[in-house]
């Protein structure tokens, strides 16, 4: 939340037309001037309808008792005027230039030889210039606020431009605002429910904010079953419904644009990433099956895996080593409202022909995320096929995350375009798939790629997060080949 200083002012200005109090003063001065006498033949000078005295009469000592009586009457008049003000509804009250100040001055300076106010031409210039239009206020109504004076119609909201007539307003950065306008301008709104984020028990505005997308939302949405995209992690807003994948996951419409939905749809990408490995001098000769599966099928395969390799809490891919029967998605489902229907599944018996039985990946993820998962799992396969044994989770998962990150860089970052990329894969199947399915990357697809890289780089888990950062530092310092050679010999990263 902005830390700018904001003042909420109540009763900022009070001004009213000539009150009964002023009319009473007019009578008081008219009556007083005739009874006390004027020295040197100078008569009282009245200015317009305000009945302001410029030259005050000099009173003799014999008139002190009469002056005290008049002072008591003046006190009573002021009290009556204030009582009338209290009966008025809250809001702005109008006053002319001198009403309130004249009463206060006369109250304390009845014995002063000089009048409390000079005529308008003697006023300081700043008292008569409007802070809104920079024109002279004259003898009309005015509003005073923070040392500046305005015509009533010139005291306006900096946001909407309309005059401020409410009882309270907000002040920020030297500008005045309607409280409602300032709330719209400065009070954060939830990007999920589109309501102002409420204050907590301590009176503070508390909200959650995604570290990459900067999506702000009410804390309650983390617990009220609001759908979250399984790809980009953004919460579903009230204005954009997500697609249910049928296995407990939801996908936002932006991620759905490039989602890969069945095994056949994923084959070109899989072969393109194998080409990427070959371009890194890490060719994989064995033909390893690759299947797209639902979440339940992936979890069952993990339970049947005896080696117990370490995976993230939400497992999205698996390098399978055991013989199993896995149900894969043969044909992509159709859209049916906000869900998918008509999915064709096929059980498939996986037999072990080498150290790696198959690679499994969750269906329904965007192309770049699916590719990052494939690059990670293919690195597991490469390590096993090349005889890397008994590696710690931090070392194995860390180096696999490095390959995943490198592939994303080659797809997203312009400075990595000269590296082997699936976008420019030499195989005809890859080229056909790339032009028909992917084509030029959209802005949101590039942003998704940056997010997936951000996820890898900022993962907090010991194996995936700390492992990646240690492996990435080694690769940047010694290169990928020397780092892999050191891992083979020492089962650790070079320092």
């Amino acid at each position: 939340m902005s830390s700018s200083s904001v003042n909420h002012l109540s009763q900022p200005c009070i001004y009213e037309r000539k009150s009964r109090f002023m009319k009473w003063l007019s009578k008081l001065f008219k009556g007083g001037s005739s009874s006390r006498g004027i020295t040197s033949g100078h008569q009282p000078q009245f200015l317009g309808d305000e009945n302001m005295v410029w030259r005050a009469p000099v009173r003799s000592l014999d008139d002190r008792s009469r002056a005290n009586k008049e002072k008591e009457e003046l006190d009573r008049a002021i009290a009556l005027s204030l009582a009338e003000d209290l009966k008025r509804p809250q809001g702005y009250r109008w006053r002319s230039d001198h009403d309130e100040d004249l009463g206060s001055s006369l109250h304390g300076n009845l014995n002063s030889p000089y009048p409390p106010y000079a005529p308008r031409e003697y006023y300081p210039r700043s008292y008569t210039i409007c802070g809104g239009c920079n024109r002279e206020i004259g003898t009309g109504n005015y509003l005073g606020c923070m040392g500046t004076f305005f015509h009533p119609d010139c005291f306006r909201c900096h946001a909407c431009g309309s005059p401020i007539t409410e009882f309270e307003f907000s002040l920020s950065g030297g500008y005045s605002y309607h409280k409602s306008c300032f709330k719209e301008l400065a009070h954060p709104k939830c990007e999920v429910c589109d309501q102002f984020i409420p204050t907590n028990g301590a009176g503070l505005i508390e909200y959650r904010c995604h570290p990459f997308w900067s999506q702000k939302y009410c804390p309650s949405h983390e617990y009220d079953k609001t759908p979250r995209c399984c790809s980009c992690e953004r919460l579903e807003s009230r204005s954009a419904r997500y697609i249910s994948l049928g296995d407990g996951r939801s996908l936002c419409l932006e991620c759905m644009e490039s989602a890969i939905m069945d095994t056949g749809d994923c084959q070109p990408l899989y072969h393109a990433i194998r080409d990427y490995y070959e371009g890194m001098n890490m060719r994989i000769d064995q033909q390893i099956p690759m299947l797209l599966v639902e979440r339940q099928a992936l979890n069952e395969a993990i339970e049947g895996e005896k080696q117990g390799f370490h995976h993230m809490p939400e497992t999205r891919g698996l390098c399978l080593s055991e013989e199993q029967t896995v149900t894969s998605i043969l044909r992509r489902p159709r859209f049916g409202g906000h869900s998918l229907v008509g999915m064709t599944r096929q059980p498939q018996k996986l037999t072990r022909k080498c150290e790696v039985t198959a690679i499994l990946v969750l269906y329904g993820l965007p192309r770049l995320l699916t590719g990052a998962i494939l690059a990670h799992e293919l690195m597991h396969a490469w390590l096993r096929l090349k005889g890397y044994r008994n590696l710690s989770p931090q070392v194995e998962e860390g180096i696999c995350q490095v390959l995943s990150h490198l592939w994303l860089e080659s797809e997203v970052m312009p400075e990595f375009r000269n590296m082997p990329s699936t976008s420019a894969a030499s195989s005809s199947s890859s080229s056909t798939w790339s032009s028909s399915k992917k084509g030029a990357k959209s802005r949101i697809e590039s942003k998704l790629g940056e997010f997936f890289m951000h996820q890898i780089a900022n993962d907090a888990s010991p194996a995936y997060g700390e492992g990646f950062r240690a492996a990435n530092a080694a690769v940047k310092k010694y290169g990928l080949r020397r780092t892999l050679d050191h891992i083979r010999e020492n089962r650790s990263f070079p320092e």
Side-chain angles (χ1 to χ4, degrees):
M1 174 183 181
S2 173
S3 59
S4 62
S5 175
V6 179
N7 297 317
H8 298 286
L9 304 181
S10 62
Q11 288 186 313
C13 328
I14 303 174
Y15 49 114
E16 70 176 37
R17 271 294 180 198
K18 181 181 293 184
S19 62
R20 295 184 183 179
F21 167 58
M22 285 302 302
K23 295 177 182 178
W24 187 92
L25 285 178
S26 299
K27 296 178 181 179
L28 175 63
F29 277 104
K30 288 177 181 179
S33 62
S34 61
S35 60
R36 289 179 298 211
I38 308 296
T39 61
S40 303
H42 292 288
Q43 298 294 323
Q45 189 173 9
F46 300 103
L47 303 177
D49 194 38
E50 298 289 344
N51 298 335
M52 300 289 291
V53 179
W54 171 228
R55 290 193 177 276
V58 178
R59 293 190 293 264
S60 65
L61 295 177
D62 295 336
D63 292 337
R64 287 183 180 178
S65 60
R66 183 177 301 164
N68 291 335
K69 182 177 180 181
E70 290 179 354
K71 183 175 182 301
E72 292 176 359
E73 293 177 355
L74 181 61
D75 287 341
R76 181 173 179 274
I78 293 173
L80 290 173
S81 178
L82 292 176
E84 290 179 3
D85 286 346
L86 292 176
K87 294 178 182 178
R88 287 188 173 94
Q90 288 185 341
Y92 284 118
R93 293 175 290 164
W94 294 89
R95 73 177 182 192
S96 58
D97 289 350
H98 317 306
D99 284 359
E100 220 170 79
D101 294 330
L102 176 61
S104 175
S105 179
L106 288 175
H107 186 275
N109 297 282
L110 284 176
N111 296 321
S112 172
Y114 300 102
Y117 277 79
R120 180 169 56 82
E121 57 266 28
Y122 288 88
Y123 288 179
R125 188 68 177 166
S126 62
Y127 276 73
T128 58
I129 299 301
C130 174
C133 65
N134 292 322
R135 297 178 180 177
E136 188 176 9
I137 293 177
T139 58
N141 304 318
Y142 69 92
L143 181 152
C145 178
M146 305 298 290
T148 307
F149 295 86
F150 301 86
H151 293 108
D153 196 53
C154 293
F155 188 60
R156 294 176 173 262
C157 174
H158 185 65
C160 70
S162 299
I164 299 176
T165 59
E166 289 81 5
F167 183 64
E168 296 181 345
F169 67 96
S170 298
L171 188 70
S172 177
Y175 297 108
S176 303
Y177 299 86
H178 294 112
K179 291 192 71 176
S180 57
C181 290
F182 187 78
K183 188 173 184 180
E184 284 283 350
L185 186 69
H187 192 119
K189 262 191 173 182
C190 176
E191 297 178 27
V192 174
C193 63
D194 199 35
Q195 301 296 318
F196 289 114
I197 295 176
T199 55
N200 59 18
L204 303 175
I205 298 173
E206 179 183 358
Y207 59 86
R208 302 289 184 266
C209 182
H210 193 281
F212 182 84
W213 301 106
S214 298
Q215 183 188 37
K216 297 182 179 67
Y217 54 92
C218 304
S220 60
H221 296 314
E222 292 190 338
Y223 314 105
D224 62 5
K225 297 183 180 180
T226 298
R228 185 186 294 272
C229 179
C230 63
S231 167
C232 67
E233 297 184 347
R234 288 176 291 183
L235 290 172
E236 179 186 70
S237 67
R238 299 294 183 263
S239 59
R241 294 291 302 276
Y242 285 5
I243 302 296
S244 173
L245 297 180
D247 57 2
R249 295 179 297 144
S250 297
L251 200 66
C252 73
L253 298 180
E254 290 177 333
C255 290
M256 178 62 76
E257 287 182 2
S258 62
I260 300 179
M261 305 302 293
D262 62 40
T263 299
D265 197 19
C266 191
Q267 291 300 325
L269 177 62
Y270 175 53
H271 291 294
I273 295 176
R274 289 176 63 104
D275 292 342
Y276 174 81
Y277 268 76
E278 185 174 354
M280 301 277 284
N281 296 317
M282 299 171 64
R283 178 182 174 89
I284 300 175
D285 295 318
Q286 290 80 356
Q287 295 302 311
I288 304 171
M290 188 280 305
L291 303 175
L292 248 61
V293 298
E294 295 175 274
R295 176 193 266 180
Q296 182 179 355
L298 185 61
N299 291 337
E300 291 174 354
I302 293 173
E303 293 176 1
E305 187 72 5
K306 294 180 180 178
Q307 294 192 28
F309 285 96
H310 300 263
H311 298 274
M312 304 171 96
E314 172 62 39
T315 302
R316 294 167 169 171
L318 177 65
C319 183
L320 196 63
S321 299
E322 303 295 330
E323 292 189 352
Q324 295 189 35
T325 299
V326 176
T327 301
S328 64
I329 298 176
L330 181 64
R331 185 176 302 169
R332 63 184 298 131
R334 305 185 309 274
F335 287 101
H338 294 285
S339 60
L340 301 176
V341 296
M343 181 183 298
T344 303
R345 303 171 178 84
Q346 179 182 17
Q348 186 168 344
K349 177 68 175 179
L350 299 174
T351 59
R352 181 170 178 171
K353 298 178 181 178
C354 61
E355 291 293 322
V356 180
T357 305
I359 290 177
L360 309 181
V361 179
L362 273 179
Y363 93 100
L365 299 177
R367 173 189 172 272
L368 289 178
L369 180 55
T370 303
I373 296 169
L374 284 171
H376 179 102
E377 300 303 334
L378 275 173
M379 188 59 190
H380 278 300
W382 188 89
L383 291 172
R384 296 183 200 176
L385 294 172
K386 298 302 179 181
Y388 287 73
R389 297 286 187 270
N390 302 321
L391 299 180
S392 67
Q394 185 173 4
V395 171
E396 183 166 351
E397 299 297 347
I399 196 64
C400 290
Q401 287 290 75
V402 166
L403 266 294
S404 180
H405 196 272
L406 286 174
W407 180 80
L408 284 169
E409 281 181 337
S410 71
E411 292 288 306
V412 176
M413 308 298 287
E415 60 268 28
F416 288 91
R417 291 300 185 195
N418 60 335
M419 296 187 65
S421 169
T422 57
S423 298
S426 58
S427 65
S428 59
S429 61
S430 173
S431 299
T432 302
W433 183 89
S434 181
S435 60
S436 62
K437 175 68 179 179
K438 178 170 71 72
K441 288 186 184 63
S442 65
R443 181 193 61 83
I444 184 59
E445 188 177 13
S446 297
K447 194 68 176 177
L448 282 172
E450 295 174 14
F451 168 65
F452 302 141
M453 293 169 60
H454 168 86
Q455 274 190 313
I456 294 174
N458 295 277
D459 195 304
S461 65
Y464 289 84
E466 295 177 12
F468 165 76
R469 288 183 282 275
N472 194 49
V475 170
K476 285 185 175 180
K477 185 175 182 180
Y478 300 103
L480 180 59
R481 177 53 55 187
R482 288 183 61 186
T483 300
L484 290 172
D485 291 341
H486 191 278
I487 292 174
R488 181 195 295 273
E489 295 174 4
N490 303 283
R491 297 197 294 276
S492 64
F493 300 123
E495 298 181 358

